[in-house]
Structure formats: C-alpha cells, structure tokens
Amino acid sequence: MAEPIDFYFDFSSPYGYAASARIDAIAARHGRDVRWRPILLGAVFKLTGSQPLTGIPMKGDYSKRDFARTARLMGLPFTMPPTFPFASVPHSRAFYWIEGQDAGKARMFARGVYHRIFGEGRDVTSEDLGRIAGQLGYDPADLARGMLEPAVKERLKTEVDAAIARGVFGSPFIFVDDEPFWGSDRLDQVDRWLETGGW
C-alpha cells in the first residue's frame, strides 16, 4: 500500500488553512491517506533568515490581499485574526496530544482550530482549544494537562526538527513520497503528480 502523504503546516499560516480544506480530498481520489504534521515556522525562520510575509515591506500588503483571494477561490470564509502572526505552540501540542489517541479526531480538531482562526477571524486561547476538543468528546481539563506532558512537548520538538531535516521551510509543505511541494497554490500539482506518478 502506498505511503501516506505528509502534510506539514503551521496553525499561524493562512495558506496552511487553505490547503487543509483540500488535501484530504485530493489524497482520497488517489487512494492515499494524509499524515497531518503541525510544525512551528518560527524555528524554521531562525534557520532561513525569513519572517512572516506580513512583516516584509511591500510583500506584507500584497500577502494580506492574497490570503483573502486564495480563500475566496477555494470557497472558504476568511477573516484575519486580531493577533497575527501568533505563537502556535499550544495549538500544535494540543493536536499531538489528541493524535496520540485518535488521528482522525486530531485532524477534525485541526480543522476546527483553523476555522476559528481564519474562518471566523478570532484569536484562539487555551480555553478555546479546550472547547474545540470538548466538541470531539475530550475533557478540556485533560487536554490542558496533556499539552504539558513532557512526551507531548518532545513530540512537537521532534516533529519540527525532523521537518527541518527533511527540508521543510514553509507552510503548507507537502511530500508525495519523496517529492516536495510548497504552498497551497501547488495543490493542483500534487493532484496531477498523484494521477500520473510524476513527470
């Protein structure tokens, strides 16, 4: 059976939000599963010398326009949250705690978090993470404790380090087997690659 597609993303990435709405359907059309792997772009930027697009002169204004345009193209609601960019450590730890119990629910959790951030344009607190997890049947208090477990903290660190070692430098970043694709605007290429086996 073919290996799952690896979908790397940061919860603070509007383009990751856009890709999260399509990646599973694209994979399913070709009989593939997807491994969702939240990472922290801050750690990546320390190595690449980059920064969030919105903080770069000229590119910043363009990027805000493009975020909204990309979402409209995909039929997604979009509003920038009051705080952007933001540290996504708690979001990612919560994901990995849930994934340790149920990968499918972790994926649903990620979609719910993304919707609240960019679909509704809201900051997401630890209490919000608990409410979203609660809708999936998890006790918010258990989630709060789980996010602080050393194994969960180490899992996130390991995922970030492994992503960097693999060459991941942005969000979303997708691997079909060993072929890398960067950006939500490469989803059609991912689809075509899966259809043809590459070119």
Side-chain angles (χ1 to χ4, degrees), residues 15 52-67 80 84:
Y15 293 125
L53 284 172
T54 53
I56 301 173
M58 296 171 63
K59 284 186 178 181
D61 289 338
Y62 172 84
S63 68
K64 292 174 188 175
R65 188 180 191 115
D66 191 58
F67 296 157
M80 286 293 288
F84 184 87

Side-chain angles (χ1 to χ4, degrees), residues 143-158:
L143 177 69
R145 285 190 293 269
M147 289 163 58
L148 298 177
E149 291 176 2
V152 171
K153 293 180 179 180
E154 184 61 29
R155 171 71 190 281
L156 176 55
K157 182 181 183 303
T158 298

Side-chain angles (χ1 to χ4, degrees), residues 20-190:
S20 74
R22 289 187 59 199
I23 188 63
D24 284 331
I26 290 171
R29 276 200 299 275
H30 304 286
R32 296 282 192 113
D33 195 7
V34 180
R35 274 189 297 241
W36 287 46
R37 307 182 97 147
I39 58 167
L40 306 174
L41 283 182
V44 175
F45 290 164
K46 286 179 183 177
L47 292 177
T48 63
S50 189
Q51 62 177 302
L53 284 172
T54 53
I56 301 173
M58 296 171 63
K59 284 186 178 181
D61 289 338
Y62 172 84
S63 68
K64 292 174 188 175
R65 188 180 191 115
D66 191 58
F67 296 157
R69 183 175 57 211
T70 299
R72 287 196 306 271
L73 179 65
M74 295 186 173
L76 298 173
F78 184 82
T79 302
M80 286 293 288
T83 304
F84 184 87
F86 57 88
S88 59
V89 172
H91 312 64
S92 300
R93 286 181 181 169
F95 174 94
Y96 283 120
W97 181 79
I98 294 172
E99 192 209 39
Q101 300 162 75
D102 188 317
K105 285 190 176 181
R107 193 173 309 190
M108 293 167 65
F109 173 80
R111 288 197 190 99
V113 172
Y114 257 148
H115 177 74
R116 186 168 178 84
I117 296 168
F118 295 114
E120 299 177 357
R122 300 185 187 190
D123 291 338
V124 172
T125 64
S126 294
E127 289 75 19
D128 293 321
L129 295 174
R131 280 192 285 272
I132 295 168
Q135 293 169 357
L136 298 172
Y138 294 101
D139 184 330
D142 289 342
L143 177 69
R145 285 190 293 269
M147 289 163 58
L148 298 177
E149 291 176 2
V152 171
K153 293 180 179 180
E154 184 61 29
R155 171 71 190 281
L156 176 55
K157 182 181 183 303
T158 298
E159 288 287 345
V160 172
D161 290 345
I164 290 171
R166 199 173 183 185
V168 173
F169 55 81
S171 170
F173 209 98
I174 298 160
F175 279 93
V176 179
D177 302 318
D178 291 323
E179 190 68 21
F181 298 87
W182 171 44
S184 60
D185 57 345
R186 293 296 183 266
L187 289 173
D188 289 339
Q189 286 192 19
V190 169

